[in-house]
Amino acid sequence: MFTERLLRFQSQLTRADVDVALITDEDNVYYLTGYYDYLHMDFGRPTILVVSKSDEALLITPSIDLNTAKHSAHVGRIAPWNDGMGDEWRAELPAAVRYAGKVAVEPNNIPPVVRAYVDELVTPTRLTSATPILNQMRMIKSPVELQLARHAGTVAAAMMNAGRATIAAGVPEYEVAIATSQAGARKAAELLAAHYDDADMSPNTHFLQIMASGGDVVKTHHRASTRVMKHGDPVFLCFCGMTNFHRFKLGFDRSFWIGDASDDQVAVYEVAVASQQAALDAMRPGVTAESVHAAYADVIQTAGYAYPFRCGRATGFSFLETPQLVTGDTTILQPGMVLAVDGSVSVDTYRAQVGDSFIVTKDGWEPLTYHPKAVEKVIL
């Protein structure tokens, strides 16, 4: 799989008249080589994948991760570097770009220290972007990737069900986060054992639980805290970071109430649900990404609420991929895309959001995440 992707990428480089690409985005390094979980710029250690249109791929990575690279990186050569020795990660780059006409980088995902050195080696007229090529390659998911997406949805459902079952008056938020994490890890482990020959892939969730309750529900990305929930509280659960099975990401969120819901909040919630449904009614192959957003936004504004943030985004091996369901994105939807689609309304004292992920099919869409949305089903 990774070898085939590298070959396709090399073919695209040739077509774009690019001699060499320097890949620094962690998700793209994984997508092309299978290499992940290495120390990167958070620890001041660049990893750079050098892909020539004609020669074998070169992986420049910290020597502390050399054994991991040898095990998982599908590349022709690995060049380890050590802290404070010689030119470190810079040593291989002059030779890699010296005779290249066009050199492609990832402008929005290249560490500043690496970009500064590349700018010393390559004149501006020789630089171009690899991002459009990789975005296009990753837009339509393969059958293997769609299997990962479906399994990610199964993990997400297990987490949502566990969170729902734990939400109650007298329970602190962090207990919900513990329950969702355990349920997701157990379901992921079950799927890994049954369907994948990959003992190194961790089943554990690795993202702080996004949730809020009571007055904090207006805080969009609030993390589970020590707050103790009470009767009548609205509760928001989001798994857009935690739904990350075998490195495949999805979007998924729901709004709940404990015991009782106010009429005003229910009215807001029902518009959020209707806005997501409008987006789904509009979503099919052949339409633009922005037209799906427009259908969603129209429901929200017609109900008298403020113009909303984007309706959704493509997902996959990154949390944000191409296209985005937002004004200005004229990408034509195609079968095989995976999209997170939200419905959301915010007011000063309450915020409602429902979100799910879908595969675009030739006839419309296939849901990947499942949980009730009817008001009577989300009052716990």
Side-chain angles (χ1 to χ4, degrees):
M1 178 173 66
F2 298 108
T3 300
E4 185 272 335
R5 287 175 183 162
L6 263 177
L7 289 172
R8 274 199 296 135
F9 184 49
Q10 288 178 308
S11 176
Q12 292 299 319
L13 293 178
T14 299
R15 191 170 299 178
D17 195 29
V18 173
D19 295 291
V20 64
L22 306 179
I23 305 303
T24 45
D25 177 74
E26 292 177 79
D27 294 331
N28 281 329
V29 171
Y30 172 73
Y31 180 79
L32 293 170
T33 71
Y35 181 46
Y36 66 99
D37 279 354
Y38 49 86
L39 295 179
H40 199 43
M41 290 312 299
D42 287 344
F43 295 88
R45 290 185 166 117
T47 283
I48 305 165
L49 175 64
V50 181
V51 184
S52 164
K53 67 179 182 182
S54 55
D55 294 333
E56 62 184 9
L58 165 67
L59 180 69
I60 302 169
T61 198
S63 58
I64 194 172
D65 288 316
L66 180 57
N67 287 334
T68 302
K70 287 179 177 178
H71 177 80
S72 61
H74 294 254
V75 295
R77 185 165 69 90
I78 300 170
W81 62 271
N82 203 358
D83 304 304
M85 295 185 64
D87 288 331
E88 298 183 336
W89 52 270
R90 301 169 184 81
E92 297 278 347
L93 288 179
V97 303
R98 182 176 296 129
Y99 301 111
K102 284 286 184 182
V103 177
V105 297
E106 298 178 278
N108 295 327
N109 290 290
I110 183 169
V113 66
V114 177
R115 179 60 190 262
Y117 186 59
V118 170
D119 286 344
E120 292 179 18
L121 300 175
V122 184
T123 57
T125 57
R126 293 165 57 206
L127 281 175
T128 188
S129 176
T131 300
I133 298 172
L134 286 162
N135 284 352
Q136 190 69 32
M137 282 182 62
R138 293 175 56 179
M139 196 179 300
I140 308 301
K141 276 40 179 181
S142 69
V144 170
E145 291 166 330
L146 293 179
Q147 174 178 281
L148 290 173
R150 294 184 180 102
H151 285 160
T154 301
V155 173
M159 289 192 287
M160 186 68 80
N161 289 335
R164 176 197 179 103
T166 309
I167 294 170
V171 174
E173 290 178 352
Y174 70 82
E175 291 289 356
V176 177
I178 291 171
T180 61
S181 180
Q182 288 181 342
R186 291 189 176 111
K187 180 56 68 174
E190 176 187 316
L191 292 169
L192 287 170
H195 300 282
Y196 300 88
D197 182 19
D198 190 353
D200 277 353
M201 186 63 67
S202 174
N204 292 91
T205 56
H206 46 284
F207 197 85
L208 285 175
Q209 176 74 63
I210 295 173
M211 75 167 293
S213 64
D216 288 333
V217 79
V218 295
K219 299 175 182 177
T220 312
H221 295 106
H222 182 273
R223 310 297 175 167
S225 72
T226 58
R227 182 185 185 275
V228 177
M229 296 175 286
K230 63 182 188 294
H231 182 89
D233 274 350
V235 181
F236 175 61
L237 277 184
C238 175
F239 297 97
C240 294
M242 294 174 70
T243 304
N244 189 352
F245 174 75
H246 212 291
R247 300 190 64 82
F248 200 99
K249 286 85 168 166
L250 296 179
F252 188 31
D253 33 50
R254 286 291 184 275
S255 297
F256 301 97
W257 289 272
I258 301 175
D260 195 18
S262 73
D263 292 342
D264 289 346
Q265 290 180 356
V266 168
V268 172
Y269 175 80
E270 288 182 328
V271 174
V273 173
S275 69
Q276 187 201 39
Q277 188 58 54
L280 295 177
D281 291 343
M283 190 170 76
R284 59 188 178 275
V287 305
T288 62
E290 68 175 358
S291 70
V292 177
H293 173 85
Y296 142 90
D298 182 63
V299 169
I300 296 168
Q301 290 186 286
T302 299
Y305 299 105
Y307 184 79
F309 55 77
R310 70 181 175 214
C311 175
R313 59 200 158 82
T315 66
F317 292 112
S318 298
F319 293 113
L320 175 63
E321 297 192 2
T322 301
Q324 296 184 53
L325 304 179
V326 68
T327 299
D329 193 324
T330 58
T331 304
I332 302 297
L333 301 191
Q334 301 175 59
M337 291 180 173
V338 174
L339 300 171
V341 182
D342 292 328
S344 181
V345 176
S346 297
V347 296
D348 288 342
T349 58
Y350 177 64
R351 179 176 178 276
Q353 182 165 329
V354 294
D356 293 281
S357 291
F358 303 86
I359 300 170
V360 179
T361 66
K362 62 184 178 70
D363 300 317
W365 42 263
E366 171 193 337
L368 292 169
T369 54
Y370 306 85
H371 202 80
K373 286 176 275 192
V375 172
E376 63 272 17
K377 297 291 187 181
V378 294
I379 299 177
L380 310 179

